[in-house]
Amino acid sequence: MGCCIFAAMAAIGPRVALVLTWLFTNLVDRAFNGVLLPLLGLILLPWTTLGFVLAYAPVAGVQGIGWIVVLCGLLLDLSSYGGGARSRR
């Protein structure tokens, strides 16, 4: 039972962080034009979206080490999907 609670909190963590960032800062609005793409990112790839939001610079976009942050977020998202598929076997 405790393991399930920990897994649920780990899965919810980046989503909560992204929602709080969206509500209390303008970083999400600065990184994305519109609401659809960040909303899809919130649902499907929360770590990647959060990494992109944090790595985005207004004038230059995402450059250099920022792409490594986004790639690490993508790897975290893919590993969470892969881990869930493996546990169902």
Side-chain angles (χ1 to χ4, degrees):
M1 179 79 176
C3 180
C4 294
I5 293 171
F6 177 73
M9 289 305 290
I12 291 174
R15 288 175 175 89
V16 170
L18 188 58
V19 166
L20 291 176
T21 302
W22 203 345
L23 291 175
F24 295 114
T25 68
N26 66 345
L27 294 175
V28 177
D29 296 329
R30 190 175 67 181
F32 295 103
N33 293 330
V35 178
L36 183 62
L37 199 57
L39 189 61
L40 285 174
L42 179 69
I43 296 168
L44 300 175
L45 298 170
W47 285 112
T48 306
T49 308
L50 186 61
F52 186 83
V53 165
L54 296 177
Y56 185 81
V59 176
V62 179
Q63 292 183 343
I65 196 85
W67 283 115
I68 295 173
V69 171
V70 174
L71 180 65
C72 288
L74 180 64
L75 291 175
L76 282 170
D77 286 329
L78 293 177
S79 68
S80 68
Y81 287 132
R86 184 174 179 193
S87 68
R88 285 190 291 271
R89 287 186 191 178

